Amino acid sequence: MKRIRILGLDCGSTQAGISVLDVLDDGRLWEVKEACVSRFQPRFTFPQRIAQLAQVAADAIELWEPSAIVIEDIKFNKGNKFLGAMGKVAMAIGGVMVAVSNAGYNPVIITATQARGKIKAKTKDAARATLNKRFAEDLCKLGYPEGVPKAKEDITDALVLCYAAYIPIINDPDLYILPGT
């Protein structure tokens, strides 16, 4: 059986959530290999932080050699008081996409809300409960005994992206084409 490794990236202008999920191609066995946050030097200028973020993405790709990469997109809302900050996040995503593209990948881009919706739509209640339980167990194994604190939401978003990519492997591998497999 072939292993499929999914790298999830939740990009921000000051930090990034990174997760790695291994799945056997039959979709039955899987394991979270990594879930962490990378923070950037606050004294750096914004362009320096974007360069640092791109390097973090390039390093993660080199270290984990993923089969597929999922990047969190953002949803712009009209009248959002954080529109300026969202613009910076959009630029951060662009920096990561350059690094990902330079490594030869065509990433899946999805918002965390869309990923959660996809998980809900593609799984029955019992399967979703099992997935949530396994999610908590995986986080405990990685050193987050009570789940992930709110301040580390980037970790959970990055994992949700990986899980959303994993769902089609379970239900119908032909529905989802993973680059590099």
Side-chain angles (χ1 to χ4, degrees):
M1 246 176 247
K2 191 172 177 183
R3 173 193 52 83
I4 298 168
R5 178 166 283 168
I6 304 165
L7 171 64
L9 298 167
D10 177 4
C11 310
S13 60
T14 59
Q15 65 184 33
I18 301 164
S19 65
V20 178
L21 180 70
D22 275 0
V23 183
L24 289 182
D25 63 1
D26 71 352
R28 288 183 289 162
L29 291 174
W30 51 283
E31 177 184 10
V32 175
K33 304 299 276 184
E34 180 66 87
C36 65
V37 169
S38 181
R39 288 184 175 75
F40 312 123
Q41 294 295 328
R43 70 180 187 280
F44 286 180
T45 64
F46 181 66
Q48 288 171 321
R49 289 195 312 263
I50 297 298
Q52 191 178 16
L53 175 59
Q55 188 59 55
V56 164
D59 291 348
I61 291 167
E62 184 178 338
L63 175 66
W64 292 104
E65 300 177 345
S67 308
I69 299 174
V70 186
I71 300 173
E72 183 182 16
D73 200 358
I74 55 174
K75 181 180 177 189
F76 282 97
N77 295 319
K78 227 177 175 180
N80 187 323
K81 64 181 179 178
F82 301 110
L83 204 51
M86 290 174 70
K88 285 186 175 182
V89 172
M91 287 186 265
I93 292 169
V96 166
M97 289 186 66
V98 169
V100 168
S101 178
N102 285 344
Y105 289 86
N106 182 19
V108 174
I109 312 291
I110 186 170
T111 68
T113 302
Q114 288 170 323
R116 286 182 178 91
K118 184 176 182 182
I119 291 169
K120 188 173 182 179
K122 294 281 187 179
T123 56
K124 293 181 171 56
D125 288 342
R128 202 163 42 254
T130 302
L131 191 65
N132 287 336
K133 182 179 180 218
R134 179 67 189 272
F135 185 81
E137 289 169 359
D138 288 338
L139 291 174
C140 284
K141 287 179 197 171
L142 292 168
Y144 302 102
E146 298 299 321
V148 179
K150 185 73 172 154
K152 294 191 171 109
E153 192 175 276
D154 291 333
I155 293 173
T156 56
D157 283 352
L159 268 174
V160 163
L161 298 174
C162 287
Y163 282 114
Y166 163 71
I167 295 300
I169 298 167
I170 297 171
N171 294 329
D172 185 355
D174 296 329
L175 291 176
Y176 192 74
I177 298 168
L178 292 168
T181 61

